[in-house]
Each structure stands twice: as C-alpha cells, then as structure tokens.
Amino acid sequence: MNTVLDDARLTCGIQPTHPSIAELERLGDEIAALSAHLDAASARLLDLIREFDARGGWGNGFKSCAHWLTWRIGLDRGAAREKVRVARALGTLPGLADALARGELSYSKVRALTRVATPETEERLLEVGRAGTADHVERIVRGWRRVDRIAEAKQSAQRHRSRGLRVYQDEDGMVVIHGRLEPETGAVLMKALEAAREALYQRARTGVTNKNVSAGTFEDPAAEPPAFGQQQADALTLLAETALHHGIDPGTPGERYQVVVHVDAPVLAESDAPADLAASGQSVLEDGAHVSAETSRRLACDATRVVMRHDPDGRVTEVGARTRTIPPALRRALRHRDRGCRFPGCGLLFGQGHHIRHWAHGGPTTLSNLAMLCRRHHRTVHEDGYQIERQADGELRFRRPDGRLLPHVPPPAEVPASPAEMVRAENDARGVHIDARTSMPGWAGGRLHLGWAIDVLHPLATGELERSNAIV
C-alpha cells in the first residue's frame, strides 16, 4: 500500500518532505532574528556616534569624526564617513531612527533612505522601507535622486540666467547698486567685504588709520563706528581701490599665493616666556596683523627663509640670500621615509616637514630630527600643544597636551564570550522585542514599477511642492 502511495506522489510531481526542513527553518528564523537584533544595536551605535560627533570628542588631533572612527575601530574611511552621515541624518528623522532601533528596518535600507529623506518626506519613505526589499529601496532612492538632480540642474541654470548687476547714479548724485549673484559668487563677495570691513574698522578701533581709503578712517578713534550698512559701503570702496591700485592681474601663481611673515629671532627662540614676547620681538604678516609665536615657529619649520639685520633705529643693514629651511634633497628623503603624515590615524600623503626640536632652539635640520605632518596636524603639534618624541629605535611617540600617550594603534575592545547573546540582552533591556518576522518586508512578490512609484512619492512629481509654494 505504501509503495502505491509513493508511486502516486511521484506521478503527481509532489516531492517528499526533506527530513531536516524544520531544522533549516529554525536556523533561518535565528538568522533573521539575530540580524534584526544587530540592526537595533546599530541604531544605538549611531546614537553614540552622533553624540560623540556633536560634542567634538574626535577633536583631539583628528581631522573629523570619520577619521577618528577609522583609527579607533578600524572602519574603512568610506564606511566611517557613511556612519557619521547616517548618524547625523537620523538626528532629524525620528521615524527612521525608531524603525532601525526596533529592528524593523535594516541598516542597509536606512542608509539608502537617509540620502534623500527630509522631515517632510520621511513618513512616506518609511513606508517604502517597510514594504520593499533593500533592492527596491535602493532603486527608488536612485530614481528619487535623479528627479532631485534634474530639479537642481534646472534651478542652477535659472540662477545663472538671473544673475546681474546694475550700477547707476541717482538724482542726488549717489551711486546705486542693485544686483543678484549666484550663491558661490555671493559668498566670495561677502567674505571679501567682511575682510575689508575688519581691515578698516579694526584698525580704527585700535587708533591706526588707513591713509589709502579715506572713507573708512575715523577722525576720532573713540567715536562710535558707523552703522553696518555704512561699513559695508566703505568696505566696497576699499575693495575697488585695492583692485585698481594693485591691478586686476593677480600676477604669477608663485607670488600670488606667497604669505610673508616677519619674525624677530627672539620670538622663534623664546618659547617659555610669552609675557616677554612683546619686549623681545614681534611676529607679523605683511599687513601688520599679529601672528602668535607658536604659529611663527610652525611656519618657520618648513619655509623659505631670508635673514635681515637691522640697526638700533630699525633700518635694514644686511639682507641674506633666500634659502630653504629643509633643502630639496633632504625633503625627498623625508617623503620617501615617512610616506605621508605620521600623526596617528592620519597618513595623508601630502605634508610639511616638522622639526621635532625646532631649529631656532638648536635643533638640527637632519632626517632624524624631522617628521612629516599634514598641514592640520602640523598646527595641532604647534598651536594645540601636542608633543612628538623620537625614541632611540627611531620610532615616533605622540603625546596629548596633558602628557597622555596617543598610541599609533588603539587598544582592542573587550569582546564578550557570546556577543550575540549580549546584543539580545541589551535590546531586551531597552524594551525592543524582536523575532524572525520583525524586519520582514511587506513585499508580496510583485514587480516594482519604478516610474509609477516615483510619480506617487516624490513631492516634485506629485505637484505638492508647487502647491505649497503657491499657498505661501
């Protein structure tokens, strides 16, 4: 009888149940549940990263929070940047953050959705994440961004066409200026006006007048400064006169980007008596702006140097030849040896030579007394108080301003014997209840119609944005 039944099943195409199917289903459920637990734990990790980033915990010599994550927990630089980006985005997207914290959405889905989600569109995109697979979400986000790029391109072209500047003389003789500038051009103008305003009125407050621009000087330094709009007008005058005085042609690139600092020798040599610096010497830019002694030492580490001697009345009596602090041959050897910035966790390929013991303090310009540092970390060592020591074996040791050692490789984290159980226990303690179906999408197996999905989701496609603008 059994043989007859088995033959009937084979005839109808029905395969017998695999003897271990129940065990495989249990294994699949465990995978799904643990994956959701890990996503919930990722939400907690992102919360910590967001707080650490906002409070500047990475600012102890590192360029950014992503650089610190690369050094501290071994993330790839791109993955670290994504973690920080997603963490920041979730700070303004509570719905997505909560769905991740409950294990309902995977980190992959949330990472994609945060590329386009805003507080206004979060709710509908959250439904996309719950309904579709990760592949569906990625495709919808790509389509969403395509609509955004088209809109941005149109807006940029419209801005470019609408740029203009009109200058004319009014009936009372005053010149009226009215214009529209593209955002990046306007940013340059505002920065230039800010610099010119500071040059005019900072000098005026300290009693120093600018004889080249009469509009910006005070007859009485103690008088109240003009209103902001008047300062802006004076600053524009300074910009125009400066351009005409020096010529529109910026000159050769080498001279154009050269910054000259006049430093008295005692300023470089004295590092322990800041109160005496004013008496022992000065350190100023060409425009007279003061530069700190430590900044002068940083700039002098790796620069072109011209030694000038003065008589007691300040007149120049001798000018030496221009020389490089670090000769070209030694610089090549330094780059070959260090292969980039030596500060822990950095490794940027382009850098400056740093004298471990400054040459003004008697330190030799030799390979053993030099270390390659990027511009940011060169400033960190000089102005921020970090210290470098070269050990007898040639290795460098970095210390924080408080003297604590900054290791090249961070200490390994303690991992419990059963990390999966620890994650489950922490989620349970936070009231996050997860099972094998928590992160299962609502997809019923149908085909995704991307064009239709974007048409019903994106505010630009649905016309919501135009309607809201019309109401405003």
Side-chain angles (χ1 to χ4, degrees):
M1 185 69 179
N2 289 339
T3 303
V4 174
L5 289 175
D6 289 342
D7 290 343
R9 290 193 188 98
L10 292 174
T11 304
C12 298
I14 300 174
Q15 298 296 324
T17 302
H18 194 284
S20 62
I21 190 68
E23 175 64 19
L24 290 176
E25 287 184 349
R26 185 199 63 76
L27 186 59
D29 287 347
E30 186 175 353
I31 290 172
L34 181 56
S35 179
H37 274 289
L38 292 176
D39 286 323
S42 294
R44 175 60 181 155
L45 174 63
L46 293 173
D47 287 342
L48 295 174
I49 290 174
R50 182 168 61 253
E51 182 180 358
F52 185 78
D53 179 40
R55 296 174 63 178
W58 50 268
N60 53 348
F62 290 90
K63 184 178 180 181
S64 67
C65 187
H67 281 75
W68 183 89
L69 289 172
T70 300
W71 172 78
R72 188 65 180 83
I73 63 176
L75 285 180
D76 171 77
R77 188 71 55 82
R81 281 195 292 264
E82 270 294 274
K83 291 281 188 187
V84 175
R85 182 194 65 79
V86 175
R88 290 174 178 172
L90 290 180
T92 61
L93 301 170
L96 288 175
D98 184 65
L100 180 64
R102 294 183 176 279
E104 296 171 359
L105 292 187
S106 68
Y107 173 74
S108 296
K109 289 182 179 181
V110 170
R111 181 183 59 193
L113 292 171
T114 53
R115 296 188 193 121
V116 296
T118 65
E120 293 74 28
T121 61
E122 178 190 19
E123 186 175 349
R124 69 188 70 178
L125 287 172
L126 179 58
E127 292 306 314
V128 169
R130 285 176 171 149
T133 66
D135 179 65
H136 293 153
V137 171
E138 284 284 355
R139 290 176 61 192
I140 287 176
V141 167
R142 284 197 296 269
W144 191 291
R145 295 183 76 178
R146 190 158 51 245
V147 173
D148 284 341
R149 283 195 296 270
I150 293 171
E152 287 172 357
K154 290 180 179 178
Q155 185 182 40
S156 179
Q158 176 59 34
R159 284 174 174 171
H160 186 69
R161 286 193 298 268
S162 67
R163 76 192 187 283
L165 184 68
R166 187 180 172 213
V167 183
Y168 62 93
Q169 196 167 29
D170 211 352
E171 295 177 354
D172 61 354
M174 296 289 282
V175 173
V176 179
I177 302 174
H178 183 269
R180 285 172 56 85
L181 302 178
E182 293 174 271
E184 63 276 12
T185 307
V188 172
L189 177 62
M190 287 188 286
K191 281 292 183 183
L193 288 172
E194 180 183 348
R197 215 169 50 243
E198 182 175 330
L200 286 171
Y201 292 100
Q202 184 64 37
R203 291 174 181 175
R205 282 193 293 271
T206 57
V208 179
T209 57
N210 186 339
K211 296 180 180 179
N212 293 327
V213 186
S214 59
T217 59
F218 290 128
E219 294 181 0
D220 179 8
E224 286 294 321
F228 179 77
Q230 294 171 322
Q231 292 186 25
Q232 288 282 79
D234 295 343
L236 184 59
T237 304
L238 176 58
L239 292 181
E241 290 190 0
T242 302
L244 292 175
H245 177 70
H246 293 286
I248 300 299
D249 184 4
T252 60
E255 296 299 324
R256 179 182 179 185
Y257 296 111
Q258 190 176 68
V259 177
V260 179
V261 185
H262 299 276
V263 187
D264 289 347
V267 175
L268 292 177
E270 295 182 14
S271 58
D272 300 324
D276 296 333
L277 287 180
S280 60
Q282 63 174 345
S283 175
V284 295
L285 298 174
E286 280 192 303
D287 64 357
H290 174 72
V291 176
S292 72
E294 201 54 58
T295 299
S296 301
R297 282 186 277 273
R298 172 172 58 86
L299 296 174
C301 253
D302 187 4
T304 299
R305 181 174 56 184
V306 177
V307 177
M308 305 173 68
R309 298 187 183 279
H310 301 76
D311 63 17
D313 296 326
R315 291 187 292 268
V316 177
T317 60
E318 183 182 345
V319 179
R322 184 166 64 175
T323 59
R324 292 292 309 181
T325 303
I326 303 176
L330 184 56
R331 183 186 303 280
R332 286 193 293 272
L334 176 64
R335 288 175 176 167
H336 177 75
R337 185 196 67 185
D338 286 0
R339 305 286 185 179
C341 179
R342 295 296 303 277
F343 198 91
C346 183
L348 190 68
L349 294 178
F350 304 101
Q352 304 169 335
H354 167 71
H355 284 72
I356 297 173
R357 178 172 173 79
H358 203 281
W359 57 262
H361 300 154
T365 304
T366 58
L367 196 59
S368 61
N369 191 46
L370 292 173
M372 185 72 75
L373 295 174
C374 68
R375 185 181 298 273
R376 173 185 176 81
H377 288 128
H378 201 182
R379 173 181 290 275
T380 296
V381 169
H382 278 279
E383 279 92 333
D384 295 343
Y386 281 72
Q387 304 132 38
I388 305 179
E389 307 163 359
R390 189 176 294 282
Q391 304 303 296
D393 59 1
E395 287 298 312
L396 294 178
R397 187 160 63 181
F398 290 78
R399 291 189 179 277
R400 295 182 173 92
D402 59 6
R404 289 183 300 138
L405 188 66
L406 182 64
H408 280 278
V409 179
E414 294 185 9
V415 179
S418 179
E421 291 305 318
M422 183 195 74
V423 170
R424 286 193 179 98
E426 287 188 355
N427 287 334
D428 290 342
R430 290 190 293 119
V432 178
H433 303 294
I434 291 174
D435 57 31
R437 301 182 65 83
T438 297
S439 61
M440 182 179 292
W443 180 49
R447 181 173 170 230
L448 172 64
H449 297 279
L450 182 60
W452 177 83
I454 296 298
D455 284 343
V456 299
L457 289 171
H458 201 293
L460 286 175
T462 60
E464 293 174 43
L465 197 58
E466 288 121 4
R467 286 196 296 273
S468 63
N469 290 338
I471 294 173
V472 173

